[in-house]
Amino acid sequence: MAAAIILGPSPSIAQDREQVKVAFEHALPNVEGKRMVAVTVTYPPGAKSLAHHHAASAFIYAYVLSGAIRSQVGNDPAKVYHAGESFYEMPGAHHSISENASDKEPASLLAVFVVDSKDQPLTTPDRAPGSR
């Protein structure tokens, strides 16, 4: 299932990239055709995600669990969010920056997707890992 969330990094670059783990997934019983998926995203020091888009129907709420996350969504300016702070992404948004703001401490966030039940994958990188 994690592969459906984001294309996983190869082991040789794992230290440079985030680790994504599904924490919860369930159909919404009172909203036909929708599901909720929660994932934890862990960033080692200095790690980052590739620029990416989420499923077209996905509304995302992100809560920083630890450390500090630098994020830029759409045309908004990049911002650093610290543990206890949150942000959201509208359906179809482009996430150009998502990274650990520290090169010394790890960081993590909880991302909660409300998405059409059939939308897969939830995250698609702009380019394949390792390509230039």
PDB file of all heavy atoms in Angstrom, residues 61-94:
ATOM      1  N   TYR A  61      -4.757  17.229   5.086  1.00  0.00           N
ATOM      2  CA  TYR A  61      -4.421  17.962   6.308  1.00  0.00           C
ATOM      3  C   TYR A  61      -3.117  17.359   6.815  1.00  0.00           C
ATOM      4  O   TYR A  61      -3.014  16.137   6.960  1.00  0.00           O
ATOM      5  CB  TYR A  61      -5.533  17.796   7.352  1.00  0.00           C
ATOM      6  CG  TYR A  61      -5.156  18.315   8.716  1.00  0.00           C
ATOM      7  CD1 TYR A  61      -5.156  19.685   8.974  1.00  0.00           C
ATOM      8  CD2 TYR A  61      -4.779  17.442   9.732  1.00  0.00           C
ATOM      9  CE1 TYR A  61      -4.805  20.165  10.227  1.00  0.00           C
ATOM     10  CE2 TYR A  61      -4.426  17.928  10.985  1.00  0.00           C
ATOM     11  CZ  TYR A  61      -4.440  19.282  11.230  1.00  0.00           C
ATOM     12  OH  TYR A  61      -4.084  19.764  12.460  1.00  0.00           O
ATOM     13  N   ALA A  62      -2.111  18.204   7.043  1.00  0.00           N
ATOM     14  CA  ALA A  62      -0.804  17.737   7.509  1.00  0.00           C
ATOM     15  C   ALA A  62      -0.498  18.353   8.870  1.00  0.00           C
ATOM     16  O   ALA A  62      -0.655  19.565   9.065  1.00  0.00           O
ATOM     17  CB  ALA A  62       0.283  18.110   6.511  1.00  0.00           C
ATOM     18  N   TYR A  63      -0.052  17.512   9.796  1.00  0.00           N
ATOM     19  CA  TYR A  63       0.271  17.921  11.167  1.00  0.00           C
ATOM     20  C   TYR A  63       1.708  17.499  11.456  1.00  0.00           C
ATOM     21  O   TYR A  63       2.041  16.313  11.331  1.00  0.00           O
ATOM     22  CB  TYR A  63      -0.696  17.251  12.153  1.00  0.00           C
ATOM     23  CG  TYR A  63      -0.439  17.613  13.595  1.00  0.00           C
ATOM     24  CD1 TYR A  63      -0.920  18.804  14.118  1.00  0.00           C
ATOM     25  CD2 TYR A  63       0.297  16.770  14.423  1.00  0.00           C
ATOM     26  CE1 TYR A  63      -0.681  19.138  15.449  1.00  0.00           C
ATOM     27  CE2 TYR A  63       0.528  17.109  15.747  1.00  0.00           C
ATOM     28  CZ  TYR A  63       0.041  18.298  16.254  1.00  0.00           C
ATOM     29  OH  TYR A  63       0.280  18.630  17.559  1.00  0.00           O
ATOM     30  N   VAL A  64       2.552  18.446  11.824  1.00  0.00           N
ATOM     31  CA  VAL A  64       3.962  18.145  12.108  1.00  0.00           C
ATOM     32  C   VAL A  64       4.060  17.506  13.491  1.00  0.00           C
ATOM     33  O   VAL A  64       3.685  18.108  14.493  1.00  0.00           O
ATOM     34  CB  VAL A  64       4.840  19.411  11.998  1.00  0.00           C
ATOM     35  CG1 VAL A  64       6.300  19.075  12.306  1.00  0.00           C
ATOM     36  CG2 VAL A  64       4.706  20.045  10.620  1.00  0.00           C
ATOM     37  N   LEU A  65       4.557  16.279  13.513  1.00  0.00           N
ATOM     38  CA  LEU A  65       4.700  15.521  14.756  1.00  0.00           C
ATOM     39  C   LEU A  65       5.994  15.840  15.489  1.00  0.00           C
ATOM     40  O   LEU A  65       6.016  15.891  16.720  1.00  0.00           O
ATOM     41  CB  LEU A  65       4.653  14.017  14.452  1.00  0.00           C
ATOM     42  CG  LEU A  65       3.361  13.503  13.842  1.00  0.00           C
ATOM     43  CD1 LEU A  65       3.545  12.081  13.323  1.00  0.00           C
ATOM     44  CD2 LEU A  65       2.229  13.584  14.848  1.00  0.00           C
ATOM     45  N   SER A  66       7.072  16.014  14.730  1.00  0.00           N
ATOM     46  CA  SER A  66       8.373  16.286  15.351  1.00  0.00           C
ATOM     47  C   SER A  66       9.246  17.067  14.389  1.00  0.00           C
ATOM     48  O   SER A  66       9.060  17.005  13.169  1.00  0.00           O
ATOM     49  CB  SER A  66       9.072  14.977  15.742  1.00  0.00           C
ATOM     50  OG  SER A  66       9.402  14.222  14.589  1.00  0.00           O
ATOM     51  N   GLY A  67      10.175  17.816  14.949  1.00  0.00           N
ATOM     52  CA  GLY A  67      11.114  18.575  14.127  1.00  0.00           C
ATOM     53  C   GLY A  67      10.452  19.732  13.415  1.00  0.00           C
ATOM     54  O   GLY A  67       9.491  20.327  13.902  1.00  0.00           O
ATOM     55  N   ALA A  68      10.990  20.040  12.231  1.00  0.00           N
ATOM     56  CA  ALA A  68      10.492  21.155  11.422  1.00  0.00           C
ATOM     57  C   ALA A  68      10.479  20.732   9.960  1.00  0.00           C
ATOM     58  O   ALA A  68      11.445  20.142   9.464  1.00  0.00           O
ATOM     59  CB  ALA A  68      11.377  22.389  11.614  1.00  0.00           C
ATOM     60  N   ILE A  69       9.381  21.059   9.280  1.00  0.00           N
ATOM     61  CA  ILE A  69       9.179  20.691   7.882  1.00  0.00           C
ATOM     62  C   ILE A  69       9.056  21.964   7.052  1.00  0.00           C
ATOM     63  O   ILE A  69       8.251  22.846   7.385  1.00  0.00           O
ATOM     64  CB  ILE A  69       7.874  19.868   7.707  1.00  0.00           C
ATOM     65  CG1 ILE A  69       7.857  18.625   8.593  1.00  0.00           C
ATOM     66  CG2 ILE A  69       7.632  19.554   6.235  1.00  0.00           C
ATOM     67  CD1 ILE A  69       8.734  17.502   8.161  1.00  0.00           C
ATOM     68  N   ARG A  70       9.844  22.062   5.993  1.00  0.00           N
ATOM     69  CA  ARG A  70       9.714  23.166   5.035  1.00  0.00           C
ATOM     70  C   ARG A  70       8.789  22.680   3.926  1.00  0.00           C
ATOM     71  O   ARG A  70       8.995  21.603   3.363  1.00  0.00           O
ATOM     72  CB  ARG A  70      11.062  23.561   4.449  1.00  0.00           C
ATOM     73  CG  ARG A  70      10.984  24.724   3.457  1.00  0.00           C
ATOM     74  CD  ARG A  70      12.345  25.162   2.930  1.00  0.00           C
ATOM     75  NE  ARG A  70      13.145  25.700   4.018  1.00  0.00           N
ATOM     76  CZ  ARG A  70      14.199  25.081   4.573  1.00  0.00           C
ATOM     77  NH1 ARG A  70      14.572  23.894   4.156  1.00  0.00           N
ATOM     78  NH2 ARG A  70      14.866  25.650   5.549  1.00  0.00           N
ATOM     79  N   SER A  71       7.768  23.492   3.624  1.00  0.00           N
ATOM     80  CA  SER A  71       6.769  23.091   2.638  1.00  0.00           C
ATOM     81  C   SER A  71       6.412  24.266   1.750  1.00  0.00           C
ATOM     82  O   SER A  71       6.341  25.410   2.207  1.00  0.00           O
ATOM     83  CB  SER A  71       5.508  22.592   3.363  1.00  0.00           C
ATOM     84  OG  SER A  71       4.522  22.219   2.456  1.00  0.00           O
ATOM     85  N   GLN A  72       6.186  23.954   0.469  1.00  0.00           N
ATOM     86  CA  GLN A  72       5.649  24.944  -0.460  1.00  0.00           C
ATOM     87  C   GLN A  72       4.608  24.250  -1.319  1.00  0.00           C
ATOM     88  O   GLN A  72       4.901  23.244  -1.978  1.00  0.00           O
ATOM     89  CB  GLN A  72       6.721  25.549  -1.353  1.00  0.00           C
ATOM     90  CG  GLN A  72       6.163  26.608  -2.276  1.00  0.00           C
ATOM     91  CD  GLN A  72       7.219  27.285  -3.122  1.00  0.00           C
ATOM     92  OE1 GLN A  72       8.312  26.757  -3.307  1.00  0.00           O
ATOM     93  NE2 GLN A  72       6.893  28.457  -3.630  1.00  0.00           N
ATOM     94  N   VAL A  73       3.394  24.776  -1.293  1.00  0.00           N
ATOM     95  CA  VAL A  73       2.282  24.214  -2.042  1.00  0.00           C
ATOM     96  C   VAL A  73       1.761  25.289  -2.991  1.00  0.00           C
ATOM     97  O   VAL A  73       1.495  26.416  -2.574  1.00  0.00           O
ATOM     98  CB  VAL A  73       1.152  23.730  -1.104  1.00  0.00           C
ATOM     99  CG1 VAL A  73      -0.025  23.199  -1.897  1.00  0.00           C
ATOM    100  CG2 VAL A  73       1.674  22.677  -0.136  1.00  0.00           C
ATOM    101  N   GLY A  74       1.635  24.928  -4.260  1.00  0.00           N
ATOM    102  CA  GLY A  74       1.138  25.875  -5.250  1.00  0.00           C
ATOM    103  C   GLY A  74       2.031  27.095  -5.357  1.00  0.00           C
ATOM    104  O   GLY A  74       3.257  26.989  -5.306  1.00  0.00           O
ATOM    105  N   ASN A  75       1.406  28.265  -5.479  1.00  0.00           N
ATOM    106  CA  ASN A  75       2.160  29.516  -5.611  1.00  0.00           C
ATOM    107  C   ASN A  75       2.421  30.203  -4.283  1.00  0.00           C
ATOM    108  O   ASN A  75       2.955  31.310  -4.253  1.00  0.00           O
ATOM    109  CB  ASN A  75       1.411  30.480  -6.548  1.00  0.00           C
ATOM    110  CG  ASN A  75       1.368  29.960  -7.966  1.00  0.00           C
ATOM    111  OD1 ASN A  75       2.317  29.349  -8.442  1.00  0.00           O
ATOM    112  ND2 ASN A  75       0.249  30.185  -8.640  1.00  0.00           N
ATOM    113  N   ASP A  76       2.017  29.557  -3.171  1.00  0.00           N
ATOM    114  CA  ASP A  76       2.272  30.133  -1.857  1.00  0.00           C
ATOM    115  C   ASP A  76       3.772  30.115  -1.579  1.00  0.00           C
ATOM    116  O   ASP A  76       4.494  29.247  -2.082  1.00  0.00           O
ATOM    117  CB  ASP A  76       1.551  29.343  -0.764  1.00  0.00           C
ATOM    118  CG  ASP A  76       0.036  29.482  -0.848  1.00  0.00           C
ATOM    119  OD1 ASP A  76      -0.444  30.450  -1.473  1.00  0.00           O
ATOM    120  OD2 ASP A  76      -0.661  28.617  -0.289  1.00  0.00           O
ATOM    121  N   PRO A  77       4.275  31.050  -0.768  1.00  0.00           N
ATOM    122  CA  PRO A  77       5.697  31.025  -0.429  1.00  0.00           C
ATOM    123  C   PRO A  77       6.030  29.807   0.442  1.00  0.00           C
ATOM    124  O   PRO A  77       5.158  29.289   1.155  1.00  0.00           O
ATOM    125  CB  PRO A  77       5.918  32.329   0.350  1.00  0.00           C
ATOM    126  CG  PRO A  77       4.560  32.774   0.782  1.00  0.00           C
ATOM    127  CD  PRO A  77       3.565  32.178  -0.172  1.00  0.00           C
ATOM    128  N   ALA A  78       7.274  29.365   0.375  1.00  0.00           N
ATOM    129  CA  ALA A  78       7.735  28.269   1.234  1.00  0.00           C
ATOM    130  C   ALA A  78       7.648  28.730   2.683  1.00  0.00           C
ATOM    131  O   ALA A  78       7.880  29.901   2.991  1.00  0.00           O
ATOM    132  CB  ALA A  78       9.161  27.876   0.873  1.00  0.00           C
ATOM    133  N   LYS A  79       7.305  27.787   3.563  1.00  0.00           N
ATOM    134  CA  LYS A  79       7.170  28.106   4.988  1.00  0.00           C
ATOM    135  C   LYS A  79       7.678  26.925   5.797  1.00  0.00           C
ATOM    136  O   LYS A  79       7.544  25.775   5.376  1.00  0.00           O
ATOM    137  CB  LYS A  79       5.704  28.376   5.332  1.00  0.00           C
ATOM    138  CG  LYS A  79       5.480  28.777   6.767  1.00  0.00           C
ATOM    139  CD  LYS A  79       4.042  29.147   7.057  1.00  0.00           C
ATOM    140  CE  LYS A  79       3.904  29.447   8.539  1.00  0.00           C
ATOM    141  NZ  LYS A  79       2.536  29.665   8.932  1.00  0.00           N
ATOM    142  N   VAL A  80       8.247  27.203   6.961  1.00  0.00           N
ATOM    143  CA  VAL A  80       8.693  26.151   7.867  1.00  0.00           C
ATOM    144  C   VAL A  80       7.633  25.975   8.953  1.00  0.00           C
ATOM    145  O   VAL A  80       7.216  26.946   9.594  1.00  0.00           O
ATOM    146  CB  VAL A  80      10.060  26.488   8.501  1.00  0.00           C
ATOM    147  CG1 VAL A  80      10.451  25.445   9.530  1.00  0.00           C
ATOM    148  CG2 VAL A  80      11.133  26.599   7.413  1.00  0.00           C
ATOM    149  N   TYR A  81       7.203  24.716   9.126  1.00  0.00           N
ATOM    150  CA  TYR A  81       6.219  24.351  10.142  1.00  0.00           C
ATOM    151  C   TYR A  81       6.925  23.515  11.200  1.00  0.00           C
ATOM    152  O   TYR A  81       7.642  22.573  10.871  1.00  0.00           O
ATOM    153  CB  TYR A  81       5.074  23.537   9.524  1.00  0.00           C
ATOM    154  CG  TYR A  81       4.295  24.307   8.493  1.00  0.00           C
ATOM    155  CD1 TYR A  81       4.683  24.293   7.159  1.00  0.00           C
ATOM    156  CD2 TYR A  81       3.188  25.060   8.858  1.00  0.00           C
ATOM    157  CE1 TYR A  81       3.966  25.004   6.202  1.00  0.00           C
ATOM    158  CE2 TYR A  81       2.469  25.778   7.907  1.00  0.00           C
ATOM    159  CZ  TYR A  81       2.873  25.742   6.582  1.00  0.00           C
ATOM    160  OH  TYR A  81       2.163  26.453   5.643  1.00  0.00           O
ATOM    161  N   HIS A  82       6.706  23.869  12.456  1.00  0.00           N
ATOM    162  CA  HIS A  82       7.340  23.183  13.584  1.00  0.00           C
ATOM    163  C   HIS A  82       6.366  22.210  14.235  1.00  0.00           C
ATOM    164  O   HIS A  82       5.150  22.288  13.996  1.00  0.00           O
ATOM    165  CB  HIS A  82       7.836  24.221  14.601  1.00  0.00           C
ATOM    166  CG  HIS A  82       8.861  25.141  14.018  1.00  0.00           C
ATOM    167  ND1 HIS A  82      10.195  24.846  13.976  1.00  0.00           N
ATOM    168  CD2 HIS A  82       8.720  26.343  13.413  1.00  0.00           C
ATOM    169  CE1 HIS A  82      10.844  25.818  13.380  1.00  0.00           C
ATOM    170  NE2 HIS A  82       9.976  26.751  13.023  1.00  0.00           N
ATOM    171  N   ALA A  83       6.894  21.314  15.055  1.00  0.00           N
ATOM    172  CA  ALA A  83       6.060  20.331  15.757  1.00  0.00           C
ATOM    173  C   ALA A  83       4.858  21.032  16.386  1.00  0.00           C
ATOM    174  O   ALA A  83       4.999  22.078  17.022  1.00  0.00           O
ATOM    175  CB  ALA A  83       6.882  19.605  16.814  1.00  0.00           C
ATOM    176  N   GLY A  84       3.670  20.473  16.159  1.00  0.00           N
ATOM    177  CA  GLY A  84       2.439  21.042  16.691  1.00  0.00           C
ATOM    178  C   GLY A  84       1.728  21.968  15.720  1.00  0.00           C
ATOM    179  O   GLY A  84       0.577  22.344  15.960  1.00  0.00           O
ATOM    180  N   GLU A  85       2.371  22.340  14.621  1.00  0.00           N
ATOM    181  CA  GLU A  85       1.732  23.203  13.622  1.00  0.00           C
ATOM    182  C   GLU A  85       1.191  22.346  12.480  1.00  0.00           C
ATOM    183  O   GLU A  85       1.585  21.197  12.315  1.00  0.00           O
ATOM    184  CB  GLU A  85       2.730  24.232  13.087  1.00  0.00           C
ATOM    185  CG  GLU A  85       3.203  25.199  14.152  1.00  0.00           C
ATOM    186  CD  GLU A  85       4.168  26.247  13.629  1.00  0.00           C
ATOM    187  OE1 GLU A  85       5.039  25.909  12.792  1.00  0.00           O
ATOM    188  OE2 GLU A  85       4.041  27.403  14.054  1.00  0.00           O
ATOM    189  N   SER A  86       0.289  22.936  11.703  1.00  0.00           N
ATOM    190  CA  SER A  86      -0.339  22.175  10.628  1.00  0.00           C
ATOM    191  C   SER A  86      -0.542  23.053   9.399  1.00  0.00           C
ATOM    192  O   SER A  86      -0.467  24.280   9.465  1.00  0.00           O
ATOM    193  CB  SER A  86      -1.667  21.599  11.096  1.00  0.00           C
ATOM    194  OG  SER A  86      -2.552  22.642  11.453  1.00  0.00           O
ATOM    195  N   PHE A  87      -0.829  22.388   8.276  1.00  0.00           N
ATOM    196  CA  PHE A  87      -1.177  23.070   7.036  1.00  0.00           C
ATOM    197  C   PHE A  87      -2.081  22.132   6.243  1.00  0.00           C
ATOM    198  O   PHE A  87      -2.293  20.984   6.624  1.00  0.00           O
ATOM    199  CB  PHE A  87       0.068  23.476   6.235  1.00  0.00           C
ATOM    200  CG  PHE A  87       0.968  22.345   5.839  1.00  0.00           C
ATOM    201  CD1 PHE A  87       0.857  21.742   4.586  1.00  0.00           C
ATOM    202  CD2 PHE A  87       1.963  21.883   6.705  1.00  0.00           C
ATOM    203  CE1 PHE A  87       1.695  20.704   4.213  1.00  0.00           C
ATOM    204  CE2 PHE A  87       2.809  20.853   6.326  1.00  0.00           C
ATOM    205  CZ  PHE A  87       2.678  20.259   5.082  1.00  0.00           C
ATOM    206  N   TYR A  88      -2.628  22.625   5.145  1.00  0.00           N
ATOM    207  CA  TYR A  88      -3.491  21.781   4.324  1.00  0.00           C
ATOM    208  C   TYR A  88      -3.161  22.001   2.851  1.00  0.00           C
ATOM    209  O   TYR A  88      -2.527  22.994   2.479  1.00  0.00           O
ATOM    210  CB  TYR A  88      -4.973  22.049   4.589  1.00  0.00           C
ATOM    211  CG  TYR A  88      -5.421  23.443   4.259  1.00  0.00           C
ATOM    212  CD1 TYR A  88      -5.904  23.749   2.988  1.00  0.00           C
ATOM    213  CD2 TYR A  88      -5.357  24.457   5.206  1.00  0.00           C
ATOM    214  CE1 TYR A  88      -6.306  25.034   2.681  1.00  0.00           C
ATOM    215  CE2 TYR A  88      -5.758  25.742   4.908  1.00  0.00           C
ATOM    216  CZ  TYR A  88      -6.232  26.031   3.638  1.00  0.00           C
ATOM    217  OH  TYR A  88      -6.622  27.309   3.340  1.00  0.00           O
ATOM    218  N   GLU A  89      -3.619  21.056   2.032  1.00  0.00           N
ATOM    219  CA  GLU A  89      -3.450  21.135   0.585  1.00  0.00           C
ATOM    220  C   GLU A  89      -4.805  20.904  -0.065  1.00  0.00           C
ATOM    221  O   GLU A  89      -5.517  19.960   0.268  1.00  0.00           O
ATOM    222  CB  GLU A  89      -2.473  20.069   0.089  1.00  0.00           C
ATOM    223  CG  GLU A  89      -1.075  20.238   0.630  1.00  0.00           C
ATOM    224  CD  GLU A  89      -0.132  19.166   0.119  1.00  0.00           C
ATOM    225  OE1 GLU A  89      -0.183  18.838  -1.094  1.00  0.00           O
ATOM    226  OE2 GLU A  89       0.645  18.651   0.924  1.00  0.00           O
ATOM    227  N   MET A  90      -5.139  21.757  -0.994  1.00  0.00           N
ATOM    228  CA  MET A  90      -6.392  21.625  -1.728  1.00  0.00           C
ATOM    229  C   MET A  90      -6.248  20.556  -2.812  1.00  0.00           C
ATOM    230  O   MET A  90      -5.135  20.273  -3.271  1.00  0.00           O
ATOM    231  CB  MET A  90      -6.779  22.963  -2.360  1.00  0.00           C
ATOM    232  CG  MET A  90      -7.030  24.074  -1.336  1.00  0.00           C
ATOM    233  SD  MET A  90      -8.339  23.695  -0.164  1.00  0.00           S
ATOM    234  CE  MET A  90      -9.758  23.894  -1.219  1.00  0.00           C
ATOM    235  N   PRO A  91      -7.355  19.961  -3.247  1.00  0.00           N
ATOM    236  CA  PRO A  91      -7.289  18.960  -4.318  1.00  0.00           C
ATOM    237  C   PRO A  91      -6.569  19.512  -5.553  1.00  0.00           C
ATOM    238  O   PRO A  91      -6.770  20.664  -5.943  1.00  0.00           O
ATOM    239  CB  PRO A  91      -8.759  18.675  -4.629  1.00  0.00           C
ATOM    240  CG  PRO A  91      -9.459  18.929  -3.330  1.00  0.00           C
ATOM    241  CD  PRO A  91      -8.735  20.122  -2.747  1.00  0.00           C
ATOM    242  N   GLY A  92      -5.695  18.680  -6.115  1.00  0.00           N
ATOM    243  CA  GLY A  92      -4.966  19.036  -7.325  1.00  0.00           C
ATOM    244  C   GLY A  92      -3.758  19.930  -7.121  1.00  0.00           C
ATOM    245  O   GLY A  92      -3.108  20.315  -8.088  1.00  0.00           O
ATOM    246  N   ALA A  93      -3.437  20.275  -5.882  1.00  0.00           N
ATOM    247  CA  ALA A  93      -2.317  21.183  -5.618  1.00  0.00           C
ATOM    248  C   ALA A  93      -0.986  20.532  -5.987  1.00  0.00           C
ATOM    249  O   ALA A  93      -0.820  19.322  -5.930  1.00  0.00           O
ATOM    250  CB  ALA A  93      -2.308  21.594  -4.146  1.00  0.00           C
ATOM    251  N   HIS A  94      -0.028  21.382  -6.351  1.00  0.00           N
ATOM    252  CA  HIS A  94       1.337  20.932  -6.624  1.00  0.00           C
ATOM    253  C   HIS A  94       2.175  21.204  -5.382  1.00  0.00           C
ATOM    254  O   HIS A  94       2.195  22.313  -4.867  1.00  0.00           O
ATOM    255  CB  HIS A  94       1.913  21.688  -7.828  1.00  0.00           C
ATOM    256  CG  HIS A  94       3.285  21.237  -8.183  1.00  0.00           C
ATOM    257  ND1 HIS A  94       4.381  22.050  -8.076  1.00  0.00           N
ATOM    258  CD2 HIS A  94       3.737  20.046  -8.650  1.00  0.00           C
ATOM    259  CE1 HIS A  94       5.449  21.379  -8.465  1.00  0.00           C
ATOM    260  NE2 HIS A  94       5.096  20.168  -8.810  1.00  0.00           N
TER     261      HIS A  94
END
